[in-house]
Amino acid sequence: MRESTRKNDAATVRCATERDLDQLHSIDQVIFLDDAYQFFVLRQLFEVHGERFLVLEHERELAGYAILATTPDDRRHSWVLGLGVVPRDRGRGYGRLLMREAIERLTADEVAEVRLSVEPNNEIALNLYRSMRFETIDRRQAYFGPGHDRLIMARKLG
Ligand SMILES: CC(C)(COP(=O)(O)OP(=O)(O)OC[C@H]1O[C@@H](n2cnc3c(N)ncnc32)[C@H](O)[C@@H]1OP(=O)(O)O)[C@@H](O)C(=O)NCCC(=O)NCCS
């Protein structure tokens, strides 16, 4: 297992384990409110994405997570399916730390491009992604159903 730390903050990014699921479910609800995953979805994402389901731990508490999925066709493209940090720990570099670790792992896997979807008015997430060289490649209406438009962003790796 690899670990990452940023600045003087003793935060660690590691792969999720089965024992994290209850706490992950709790923090997901705090992060995404009505859009949080149901427990069974979280469980299935964990089973399928294994080492690409990353959690950020600070003082033995989970403070954020990122889920990465590589497409099965040519294994050259990945999606960031989820990224979140609990409100009390935002603005401390944890979102960037998770994304850096994600990109490092995907690059090591020789993934050529990583994509994600983001709400057009989510300025904080947009600032983070743009600062990490993601570019908007599409704007999709009703991407997640009526009223849920999304920008599709991508970054080449390697
Ligand atoms: C988006 C999110 C993951 C960012 O996490 P975070 O830990 O707060 O972000 P960081 O502290 O690592 O900051 C990374 C960058 O985001 C931007 N950012 C962070 N807080 C910001 C704020 N209050 N206003 C504007 N930009 C901000 C900055 O570009 C920042 O880089 P900088 O510190 O070099 O200026 C977090 O806000 C979150 O969980 N939001 C709710 C869930 C969500 O929207 N997820 C993304 C779905 S696509």
Side-chain angles (χ1 to χ4, degrees):
M1 180 186 11
R2 290 186 299 158
E3 292 187 346
S4 299
T5 56
R6 179 186 152 114
K7 295 181 182 167
N8 298 323
D9 225 343
T12 302
V13 176
R14 60 170 174 79
C15 299
T17 70
E18 190 164 11
R19 275 179 299 180
D20 292 320
L21 285 177
D22 285 338
Q23 208 186 333
L24 258 172
H25 187 226
S26 300
I27 68 165
D28 193 40
Q29 290 174 313
V30 174
I31 296 168
F32 287 104
L33 309 173
D34 290 344
D35 291 330
Y37 292 120
Q38 290 187 46
F39 187 90
F40 82 92
V41 178
L42 211 50
R43 152 71 73 178
Q44 289 177 320
L45 288 169
F46 167 74
E47 298 290 4
V48 172
H49 298 296
E51 291 191 359
R52 296 296 169 262
F53 197 141
L54 305 177
V55 292
L56 185 142
E57 195 170 33
H58 178 240
E59 293 178 348
R60 300 190 179 193
E61 299 268 325
L62 297 189
Y65 74 86
I67 306 173
L68 318 171
T70 299
T71 54
D73 46 3
D74 57 4
R75 303 189 62 77
R76 301 270 294 157
H77 296 88
S78 280
W79 284 80
V80 179
L81 296 184
L83 171 77
V85 171
V86 293
R88 70 162 187 270
D89 285 326
R90 287 182 192 159
R92 305 178 66 176
Y94 290 172
R96 188 181 296 284
L97 183 61
L98 278 160
M99 284 299 290
R100 274 195 193 144
E101 184 69 20
I103 284 167
E104 202 175 296
R105 288 179 186 233
L106 296 177
T107 303
D109 286 348
E110 299 185 349
V111 167
E113 186 183 82
V114 59
R115 293 185 176 191
L116 53 82
S117 64
V118 58
E119 270 188 86
N121 62 357
N122 188 344
E123 288 300 331
I124 295 179
L126 283 168
N127 286 344
L128 170 61
Y129 300 142
R130 286 180 185 132
S131 76
M132 298 193 78
R133 298 194 281 122
F134 280 81
E135 290 177 4
T136 301
I137 58 167
D138 202 359
R139 183 188 190 97
R140 302 285 300 275
Q141 287 191 338
Y143 186 73
F144 285 130
H148 299 282
D149 301 352
R150 290 293 185 274
L151 301 179
I152 308 299
M153 302 186 85
R155 173 183 156 163
K156 302 263 184 244
L157 302 179

